[in-house]
Amino acid sequence: MPARSLTSSRSCVSPGARVAVLLPLPLAGAYDYRAGAELLAAGDFVAVPLGGREAIGVVWGDAAGEVAEDRLKTVIRRLPAPPLPRPVRDLVDWVAAYTMAPAGAVLKMAMSVPAALEPARGLVACRLADMAPDIKETPARRRVLDTAGRLPPLAPADLAREAGVGPAVVKGLLEAGALERVELPRPLDFLPPDLDRAGPELSPDQRAAADALVAALDGGFSVAVIDGVTGSGKTEVYFEAVAAALAAGRQSLVLLPEIALSAQWLERFSRRFGVRPAEWHSDLGDARRRDTWRAVANGEAQVVVGARSALFLPFPDLGLIVVDEEHDGAFKQEDGVSYHARDMAVVRARLGGFPAVLASATPSLETMANIQAGRYRRLHLPDRHAGAAMPEIVAIDLRRQPPPRGHWLSPVLVAALEECFAAGEQAMLYLNRRGYAPLTLCRGCGHRLQCPHCTAWLVEHRSAGRLVCHHCGHHIRLPRKCPHCEAEDSFTACGPGVERVAEEAAARFPSARIAVMTSDTCSGPHAAAEFVRKVAAHEIDLLVGTQIVAKGHHFPMLTVVGVVDADLGLEGGDLRAGERTHQLLSQVSGRAGRAERPGRVFLQTYQPDHPVMRALGSGERDGFIAREAELRRAAGMPPYGRLAALVLSGPDSAILDGFASRLSRAAPRLDGMEILGPAPAPMALLRGRHRRRFLVKAPRGVNLQASLHDWLGRVVPPGGVRVQVDIDPYTFW
Ligand code: ADP
Ligand code: ZN
């Protein structure tokens, strides 16, 4: 094992000396305080006075000495929590410097559960008191007492919910002494994985990849890329590395792009290791979140599977990070601190001195460039497991074989679906558009229904009976009269969304069991898991869905995949449109024919000769990527050049434009640096705020952050105007 960065070698601050304390607030940096009576060390969580209240922060290091001695405030107390480990503190500083976010804003992600810093308490529950006093009875009170008599002790809020009463009723009964509080022991969670279980027998390719990953665990920092087609067993391979890291006594972290969709992944983990991993994502309840944070901090949780935010958990002894589906755009956080979790995972591994593993069937251009430069090592899995064939991919030229008017499925696709259902197999139709129709217009005058707060059409959701803005949530009922020409009942739906495709399929295949899967129909991990279970159990014949159907699922009876509009992702044509469409469609295609029955994929397109369609049809992925890479290199775009977006926004467009031109005049003039804009952002109005954008391009050697910092420091934004900096932007609206 290489030397680990241990937290025990922290230098201590004596009582009365100055310390720097970083607070989880969007302030510039750490503040100076005076240590109280306790010995403090870097990483300790402390309570400090801040503007008349108490705030919690982290001892960050040596004080800057900027605050005058007589104004220096004293640390109130040290919290009884394990210190924030050194590599996590280094990550906070690193991410802050890279993304140009205040360090406090990044720290906030690393201490997202302040409650976890206080000593763990047993859960407080209530039960019937042994000696019931005389109380005034009401029907609500009776229901609570009956419920409490019937069920084991419940938390007050849960008891109220079970009894169908407000929380005040339970509180009243507790005060009156009819109910009493009991402490429940905390459930024994986070059981250690069973390392004696054998994994499946690996194929020679899988074995070679797994051995390489296991060997890397002894070598300090490195990055390996498992580049394997869909269904090649990438998960089984990195499970071997997780097992080896655990056997060496270190923690492991697996990042998944969409944890809510990962029921099958969790099941597989449980089969392999006999326990569930700790999960980390936005749907966790408060108590679970606190317990998990704490279990990670004290080392009890040995494996965590999580969304990108899991990267900032306080692992004291992390020894491996896996980023599955590393190409997925969901790893990029857009609001608040805009960081890319894949890239920051690599940074975390470097700071901690251990390996990172990236897995994908379609690695990003960034990752491919790193492989070519020799920075990352590629481990190749060219074949599907157990001899399953890759699906056959057919482009349907919609110019030659169009669907009938007002329909969206070409006769070729309809025939394939017919055959599929006749053979007792399952199919999937993919369209990355929620709702019924993307656009609603008046037949009389052509008026289009638009969001008043955003540059966006209102999308009809017929099942919910309303039109919705997908950006701000604004919604209306379909107006009877056109607000423009006053014609009655003149609105008509234009184009298809998943609901409309499902409607067409239902009319075509009346006996097929059809389900629509989108973020509207399955919100939260439970609903998603139930959907996935139903499809896997063949209780559904046809699944119609957005990109959430594309991700990772393994449905053995699914043999036909139809992509309703393969050209959709190419619209707009941002820098990664081709790459992203190729990745997404490869992934959708990868759902077909994963077991014994061969799969077929149909891409409905008006551009069958587009390089993306060609690459998908021929399976010539590497040629496609090489060509995309050449285009990027020629244009000086990432990963061959550096790019940042500045989005200025404000409620008043004139003030905003004034600021944008002042900023433009102050722009740095550096060799090779190119500044495009200001221009209205494609989404020129979002949630009522106007938006202007600069794109800044620079050669790789330029310190982009330093130039931007200097530039933005020269012009002060007027009140109400916000400047968002996005280094390595992935969205361009
Ligand atoms: P990928 O992540 O590359 O898409 P998976 O790891 O999901 O591939 O594997 C696809 C399917 O094949 C899964 O059901 C998995 O359990 C199975 N599988 C892969 N490798 C093996 C193996 N060596 N032995 C048994 N089953 C395997
Ligand atoms: Zn809107």
Side-chain angles (χ1 to χ4, degrees):
M1 283 281 127
R4 304 176 193 175
S5 50
L6 287 180
T7 44
S8 57
S9 59
R10 301 182 296 146
S11 59
C12 291
V13 181
S14 315
R18 277 176 184 250
V19 288
V21 173
L22 185 61
L23 297 166
L25 302 167
L27 307 163
Y31 279 7
D32 284 4
Y33 284 91
R34 190 199 319 277
E38 293 160 303
L39 205 62
L40 294 177
D44 282 342
F45 287 97
V46 288
V48 295
L50 179 76
R53 64 188 179 91
E54 191 177 306
I56 293 176
V58 177
V59 175
W60 213 247
D62 291 334
E66 279 161 6
V67 182
E69 196 63 31
D70 55 334
R71 296 193 40 212
L72 205 59
K73 299 221 168 71
T74 304
V75 170
I76 300 170
R77 64 195 165 101
R78 190 162 68 83
L79 297 173
L84 194 67
R86 173 71 192 265
V88 181
R89 285 180 277 134
D90 290 347
L91 181 71
V92 168
D93 283 334
W94 208 97
V95 172
Y98 190 83
T99 62
M100 299 181 67
V106 183
L107 177 64
K108 193 161 193 293
M109 302 194 289
M111 39 185 298
S112 56
V113 205
L117 301 170
E118 300 294 349
R121 273 173 299 144
L123 292 172
V124 174
C126 41
R127 66 171 179 212
L128 286 182
D130 281 342
M131 307 234 285
D134 275 343
I135 54 161
K136 198 169 114 247
E137 253 196 37
T138 62
R141 285 185 155 184
R142 188 69 256 160
R143 276 211 301 284
V144 172
L145 295 175
D146 286 345
T147 310
R150 198 158 42 81
L151 297 176
L154 290 174
D158 294 334
L159 178 57
R161 199 173 319 120
E162 284 291 337
V165 303
V169 183
V170 173
K171 195 161 168 254
L173 286 168
L174 278 166
E175 278 161 12
L179 291 175
E180 63 183 17
R181 282 178 223 274
V182 284
E183 283 232 335
L184 293 180
R186 292 184 332 121
L188 253 192
D189 282 325
F190 313 112
L191 297 169
D194 178 357
L195 299 180
D196 293 331
R197 296 192 173 211
E201 188 159 336
L202 299 183
S203 71
D205 284 336
Q206 289 176 338
R207 183 79 268 160
D211 286 348
L213 296 183
V214 171
L217 291 172
D218 284 327
F221 169 67
S222 64
V223 184
V225 180
I226 312 178
D227 175 2
V229 297
T230 51
S232 58
K234 297 184 286 296
T235 316
E236 302 295 345
V237 167
Y238 70 67
F239 275 176
E240 293 301 299
V242 169
L246 293 171
R250 320 240 352 221
Q251 293 169 296
S252 296
L253 168 63
V254 180
L255 296 180
L256 300 180
E258 208 88 45
I259 183 89
L261 299 175
S262 308
Q264 286 188 323
W265 190 97
L266 291 170
E267 250 170 58
R268 275 172 71 183
F269 185 92
S270 309
R271 273 204 304 277
R272 177 69 176 77
F273 293 103
V275 296
R276 277 174 83 88
E279 290 168 48
W280 188 260
H281 51 80
S282 55
D283 288 318
L284 287 187
D286 286 349
R288 190 70 192 160
R289 178 172 295 276
R290 192 190 57 211
D291 288 351
T292 306
W293 197 92
R294 196 126 186 140
V296 171
N298 64 27
E300 198 188 334
Q302 297 179 9
V303 187
V304 176
V305 57
R308 59 190 182 219
S309 57
L311 201 55
F312 293 95
L313 283 171
F315 294 97
D317 196 12
L318 193 56
L320 175 71
I321 297 185
V322 178
V323 184
D324 202 351
E325 311 290 6
E326 66 87 26
H327 63 274
D328 199 301
F331 285 122
K332 179 73 196 295
Q333 170 152 309
E334 300 289 346
D335 39 43
V337 180
S338 62
Y339 68 95
H340 200 301
R342 179 233 306 145
D343 299 344
M344 297 308 128
V346 170
V347 171
R348 175 70 178 84
R350 187 157 50 73
L351 294 171
F354 58 79
V357 176
L358 314 181
S360 176
T362 48
S364 61
L365 243 69
E366 280 74 7
T367 292
M368 293 303 261
N370 278 318
I371 291 173
Q372 257 150 27
R375 285 188 286 267
Y376 296 179
R377 172 170 184 197
R378 174 170 180 252
L379 305 170
H380 192 207
L381 301 178
D383 304 309
R384 278 190 161 178
H385 167 67
M390 290 304 287
E392 180 196 353
I393 301 187
V394 183
I396 300 177
D397 186 342
L398 288 177
R399 294 165 309 185
R400 297 216 199 132
Q401 286 154 323
R405 247 186 96 79
H407 291 66
W408 317 101
L409 305 177
S410 156
V412 185
L413 180 52
V414 171
L417 291 171
E418 236 152 42
E419 273 174 41
C420 167
F421 298 141
E425 296 167 355
Q426 289 171 294
M428 174 190 278
L429 290 174
Y430 166 78
L431 176 62
N432 208 8
R433 248 197 208 142
R434 291 157 52 205
Y436 186 82
L439 172 65
T440 303
L441 60 74
C442 170
R443 267 189 305 261
C445 70
H447 179 74
R448 300 161 171 216
L449 292 177
Q450 191 178 350
C451 176
H453 315 296
C454 305
T455 314
W457 309 126
L458 291 175
V459 178
E460 182 181 4
H461 285 242
R462 197 163 278 188
S463 58
R466 57 192 196 175
L467 292 107
V468 184
C469 170
H470 283 177
H471 297 278
C472 72
H474 175 80
H475 56 87
I476 58 168
R477 295 192 155 283
L478 185 66
R480 269 190 49 101
K481 258 195 205 170
C482 172
H484 195 243
C485 72
E486 310 225 308
E488 293 212 357
D489 293 322
S490 67
F491 281 110
T492 180
C494 291
V498 281
E499 288 181 12
R500 198 171 197 179
V501 169
E503 181 184 271
E504 179 177 339
R508 281 279 185 184
F509 307 106
S511 57
R513 295 163 297 177
I514 300 174
V516 175
M517 186 171 175
T518 68
S519 54
D520 302 303
T521 61
C522 69
S523 51
H526 296 291
E530 176 55 13
F531 243 106
V532 169
R533 186 201 61 76
K534 273 189 173 159
V535 182
H538 206 157
E539 290 167 27
I540 287 166
D541 301 306
L542 175 63
L543 189 59
V544 183
T546 54
Q547 59 176 344
I548 71 173
V549 300
K551 301 201 171 174
H553 314 295
H554 183 69
F555 301 131
M557 289 297 283
L558 194 124
T559 56
V560 169
V561 167
V563 177
V564 176
D565 183 352
D567 308 331
L568 190 56
L570 299 170
E571 278 172 16
D574 74 63
L575 130 89
R576 294 188 182 80
E579 182 193 7
R580 204 172 41 232
T581 304
H582 180 263
Q583 287 162 344
L584 199 49
L585 296 186
S586 302
Q587 211 172 16
V588 183
S589 305
R591 298 316 107 213
R594 289 172 68 94
E596 295 86 52
R597 302 180 186 229
R600 283 190 296 165
V601 178
F602 297 88
L603 307 175
Q604 298 198 133
T605 172
Y606 285 99
Q607 314 171 56
D609 293 325
H610 192 284
V612 169
M613 306 308 152
R614 290 232 183 133
L616 289 164
S618 65
E620 269 300 316
R621 185 199 78 179
D622 290 343
F624 170 76
I625 293 182
R627 183 184 151 278
E628 286 284 306
E630 256 339 290
L631 293 175
R632 295 262 189 102
R633 197 192 296 274
M637 283 294 189
Y640 305 100
R642 308 204 57 197
L643 190 67
L646 298 188
V647 174
L648 326 177
S649 67
D652 184 305
S653 65
I655 293 178
L656 187 63
D657 283 329
F659 173 61
S661 35
R662 263 177 292 141
L663 204 55
S664 179
R665 283 194 298 274
R669 273 169 247 288
L670 281 181
D671 250 4
M673 192 150 148
E674 221 181 300
I675 297 180
L676 313 168
M683 184 72 73
L685 186 68
L686 179 64
R687 295 188 192 97
R689 294 174 70 85
H690 299 273
R691 301 166 84 239
R692 304 291 180 266
R693 190 183 68 179
F694 288 94
L695 283 178
V696 185
K697 231 175 77 175
R700 274 183 72 101
V702 167
N703 185 338
L704 192 57
Q705 284 88 345
S707 311
L708 292 177
H709 199 271
D710 179 48
W711 180 19
L712 294 175
R714 278 187 237 148
V715 190
V716 180
V721 168
R722 222 171 26 224
V723 181
Q724 276 171 287
V725 182
D726 189 357
I727 305 285
D728 307 331
Y730 278 68
T731 50
F732 294 87
W733 46 269

